[in-house]
Amino acid sequence: MHNCDKRRHPKHFPQDSPMAPRSASKSAVPSDKVGVICRALRRAIIEQALEPGAKLPEDSLGERFGVSRTIARHALGQLAAEGLVELRRNRIAVVATPSWQEARDAFDIRIELERLVVRQLAGKLTKSQVAELNAHVDAEDHARDGSDAVSIRLATEFHILLANMTNSPILVRYVSEVAYRCCLTLSLYSRPHSSECAINEHRAIIAALVKGDEAKVMSLMHSHLDSVASRALVAPAPRRGRDLLDILAPYAEESEGGRVVKMPKVVRAR
Amino acid sequence: MHNCDKRRHPKHFPQDSPMAPRSASKSAVPSDKVGVICRALRRAIIEQALEPGAKLPEDSLGERFGVSRTIARHALGQLAAEGLVELRRNRIAVVATPSWQEARDAFDIRIELERLVVRQLAGKLTKSQVAELNAHVDAEDHARDGSDAVSIRLATEFHILLANMTNSPILVRYVSEVAYRCCLTLSLYSRPHSSECAINEHRAIIAALVKGDEAKVMSLMHSHLDSVASRALVAPAPRRGRDLLDILAPYAEESEGGRVVKMPKVVRAR
DNA sequence: AGCGCCTCAATTGCATGCAGTTTGACGGGC
DNA sequence: GCCCGTCAAACTGCATGCAATTGAGGCGCT
């Protein structure tokens, strides 16, 4: 097995998320064993403990979480439905590796959805909600020294927190999903810098929400996400040195003849 | 058992969908047995063969489709992730019964998403795509005499067809999901009339798309969906005589003291 | 040495079985 | 007659077992 073992046991998965105890999977999950696994994997993915392309064998998952393959499998199904993992018949599930175009699409959708969020929220936040938002941004600020992973997670959770305040489960679900996808993208195409300036933009959004200026806050959110996207999607080519083969795979058919890798028998089946 | 058996075997499920052989579940499904069940149930739901609240026991599903409960269960999980069915621990899965507010939210999201669709599509359609759209609307027209179920399905599929043309799998998925949800809503809150006028609106949208007028087509789509929504969501109270108890359940706490039903022991637990 | 075939461990696909929970009904008490 | 407690059937939650597929390394051939 080539590089699988390195990442098979990423750390020990954080078994419970501090925030988002409900979020997307509220109604989707039969029991909660599945829910626990989903949340853990989601978090591991957005913190980049699991990089795109990482393998997720049902056995290992089941063993790690103390459940049978059946449950692990079900969890993988849910995550696949969210677009976070890819399931191919008779093959090991892997963390999704969105193409550059898919990433771009995800951001486009995210912009529209989050504009909707702030439109619904403008001028309607309670004092305690504002306090909660400010506290969260403070936490983001505080985490600037820490790992990038935490910063990215917190930044994402800010947006989900906003969505939560709309009290629209559907909207929460979609915003969460698409935000997670965008996180995936970040770990694929972006450099480890990102978040810094985003914090101020978050503060500006809160201010505009409180002021109640719909148009203003929508445009703020738009440009905020636009800049996140453009910081992330600088070039349509993957930058960081990863699995090489795995990352190159999606480009197999549209290789424009640059430096060509040997690719022994990938050509055969694909 | 109250009214369960009547709908336990709705007809025989249409095993394959004429259109949408891929749609939302393309990447979500491990094998295709699950996919087949999902598609069949989705279709049965949007054609209102399965009404909101209808029970979906794993055994019956498995038996009907010739698979084990494991697979049926997995399929239900997927549909739950899409919001089409509700899964409660240790309880029989049921077709989702969105509240009026959820329905409103779904339409709001749908409007934004579909505006995005037509924005991306304006002026970019190929001849054959236009032909396909026209053919579809012709089919809608032709189906006006037929059952409401088919009309509703075709109207919904028109929107999904549009989304497909963006070549953005994510967008397709979200539009499909939310459109299906809106169908659910229609079968809950709307009267059997709807589609008639929608056909002309569809034609107008195609025309504007061809003309390439972004602003125009976005506003057309907006008002089209708005009018569908307002035709559907006339009153926040359910109209058609359905399960009574099931439908009234969500209103248990906000009963404004109109004619009260007896409700023998629903009060106890709920 | 290089190339292809073949075999085997690893892994998924799926059904079945058992245990626990809910449902709905029957029967006794008020 | 009505209400409540008890019970059996129905259903879900989950693990396990077996068959089928994959892909990776080894072997022989050129």
Side-chain angles (χ1 to χ4, degrees):
Chain A
M1 58 197 73
H2 47 17
N3 59 3
C4 159
D5 280 68
K6 288 205 302 286
R7 47 181 57 149
R8 210 207 220 90
H9 305 304
K11 332 223 146 162
H12 52 299
F13 294 108
Q15 289 270 343
D16 218 277
S17 174
M19 121 165 215
R22 6 106 60 265
S23 88
S25 54
K26 187 188 64 178
S27 71
V29 185
S31 107
D32 238 357
K33 296 230 193 120
V34 172
V36 167
I37 300 181
C38 283
R39 279 190 293 275
L41 286 181
R42 258 193 294 263
R43 181 143 173 225
I45 290 174
I46 77 171
E47 289 201 349
Q48 308 191 7
L50 289 170
E51 306 179 3
K55 298 185 177 178
L56 302 168
E58 299 173 358
D59 300 333
S60 319
L61 254 46
E63 190 184 348
R64 175 60 84 215
F65 289 97
V67 298
S68 83
R69 280 203 309 120
T70 309
I71 304 306
R73 179 186 192 70
H74 207 98
L76 286 174
Q78 298 293 309
L79 292 171
E82 295 171 24
L84 282 188
V85 321
E86 284 170 17
L87 254 35
R88 300 112 92 207
R89 186 175 176 89
N90 285 323
R91 308 278 285 276
I92 300 181
V94 297
V95 175
T97 306
S99 71
W100 189 85
Q101 184 58 50
E102 284 171 341
R104 185 63 251 176
D105 291 339
F107 269 107
D108 284 344
I109 295 173
R110 181 172 180 183
I111 288 171
E112 297 305 323
L113 289 179
E114 297 220 31
R115 277 166 56 96
L116 182 55
V117 168
V118 292
R119 194 179 83 199
Q120 291 190 3
L121 252 36
K124 298 209 176 60
L125 291 179
T126 66
K127 267 196 162 54
S128 74
Q129 285 177 320
V130 174
E132 194 179 355
L133 288 172
N134 280 321
H136 189 97
V137 180
D138 288 344
E140 288 184 65
D141 216 339
H142 183 62
R144 279 205 306 202
D145 313 321
S147 71
D148 269 357
V150 176
S151 293
I152 292 181
R153 177 170 61 79
L154 286 175
T156 300
E157 284 177 349
F158 172 79
H159 291 263
I160 297 179
L161 192 55
L162 272 181
N164 263 319
M165 293 179 179
T166 63
N167 276 320
S168 164
I170 314 181
L171 194 46
V172 174
R173 228 198 52 155
Y174 286 159
V175 168
S176 306
E177 274 188 29
V178 84
Y180 285 138
R181 266 182 203 255
C182 288
C183 268
L184 250 189
T185 296
L186 256 53
S187 68
L188 259 182
Y189 300 103
S190 144
R191 322 223 64 145
H193 62 308
S194 310
S195 34
E196 309 272 319
C197 21
I199 297 182
N200 289 332
E201 295 173 3
H202 285 182
R203 290 202 195 280
I205 287 172
I206 297 179
L209 278 174
V210 172
K211 195 152 154 258
D213 186 343
E214 264 193 30
K216 176 78 175 303
V217 71
M218 284 172 76
S219 118
L220 273 178
M221 179 60 87
H222 193 128
S223 56
H224 168 51
L225 288 174
D226 246 2
S227 67
V228 172
S230 56
R231 276 197 295 262
L233 300 171
V234 278
R239 307 294 306 265
R240 307 173 63 176
R242 290 189 193 289
D243 273 315
L244 253 312
L245 277 184
D246 279 358
I247 288 194
L248 255 37
Y251 288 84
E253 55 252 277
E254 56 182 299
S255 68
E256 77 266 33
R259 60 205 177 256
V260 197
V261 208
K262 211 171 124 207
M263 264 187 225
K265 53 183 53 176
V266 177
V267 203
R268 183 185 52 129
R270 196 125 307 175
Chain B
M1 63 197 72
H2 46 20
N3 56 2
C4 159
D5 279 67
K6 287 205 303 286
R7 47 179 59 148
R8 187 118 131 249
H9 305 305
K11 332 221 146 165
H12 50 299
F13 294 107
Q15 290 270 345
D16 220 276
S17 174
M19 126 163 209
R22 5 107 58 266
S23 90
S25 55
K26 187 189 62 177
S27 72
V29 184
S31 109
D32 237 355
K33 297 227 194 126
V34 172
V36 167
I37 300 181
C38 282
R39 280 191 291 275
L41 287 181
R42 258 194 293 263
R43 180 142 175 230
I45 290 175
I46 78 170
E47 289 200 349
Q48 307 190 10
L50 288 169
E51 307 179 1
K55 299 184 177 178
L56 303 168
E58 299 173 358
D59 300 333
S60 320
L61 253 47
E63 189 184 349
R64 175 60 84 214
F65 289 97
V67 298
S68 81
R69 281 204 307 120
T70 309
I71 304 306
R73 181 185 192 70
H74 208 98
L76 287 174
Q78 298 292 310
L79 292 171
E82 295 172 23
L84 281 187
V85 322
E86 285 170 16
L87 253 36
R88 301 111 93 207
R89 186 176 175 87
N90 285 323
R91 308 275 284 272
I92 302 180
V94 296
V95 175
T97 306
S99 70
W100 190 86
Q101 183 59 48
E102 286 170 340
R104 186 63 252 176
D105 291 339
F107 268 108
D108 284 344
I109 294 173
R110 181 172 180 182
I111 287 171
E112 297 305 324
L113 290 179
E114 298 221 30
R115 277 166 56 96
L116 182 55
V117 168
V118 291
R119 196 179 81 198
Q120 293 190 2
L121 251 37
K124 300 207 176 61
L125 291 179
T126 67
K127 268 196 159 56
S128 74
Q129 285 177 320
V130 174
E132 193 179 357
L133 288 172
N134 279 322
H136 189 97
V137 180
D138 288 343
E140 288 184 64
D141 214 339
H142 183 61
R144 278 205 307 202
D145 314 320
S147 70
D148 269 357
V150 176
S151 294
I152 293 182
R153 176 168 62 77
L154 287 175
T156 299
E157 285 177 348
F158 172 79
H159 291 263
I160 297 178
L161 192 55
L162 273 182
N164 264 319
M165 294 180 178
T166 62
N167 275 321
S168 163
I170 314 182
L171 194 46
V172 174
R173 227 198 54 153
Y174 286 155
V175 168
S176 305
E177 275 189 30
V178 83
Y180 284 138
R181 267 181 202 255
C182 288
C183 268
L184 249 188
T185 297
L186 255 53
S187 68
L188 258 181
Y189 299 103
S190 141
R191 323 223 62 146
H193 61 310
S194 310
S195 35
E196 308 273 318
C197 21
I199 298 181
N200 290 332
E201 297 172 3
H202 284 182
R203 290 202 194 279
I205 287 172
I206 297 178
L209 277 175
V210 172
K211 196 155 151 250
D213 185 345
E214 264 193 30
K216 175 79 177 303
V217 71
M218 284 172 75
S219 119
L220 272 178
M221 179 59 88
H222 193 129
S223 56
H224 169 49
L225 288 174
D226 246 3
S227 68
V228 171
S230 56
R231 276 197 294 262
L233 300 171
V234 278
R239 307 294 305 265
R240 307 172 64 174
R242 287 188 194 289
D243 274 316
L244 254 311
L245 279 184
D246 280 356
I247 288 194
L248 255 37
Y251 289 86
E253 55 253 280
E254 55 183 300
S255 67
E256 76 267 35
R259 57 200 180 261
V260 197
V261 208
K262 215 173 119 204
M263 265 189 222
K265 54 182 53 176
V266 178
V267 203
R268 185 186 50 130
R270 194 126 310 171

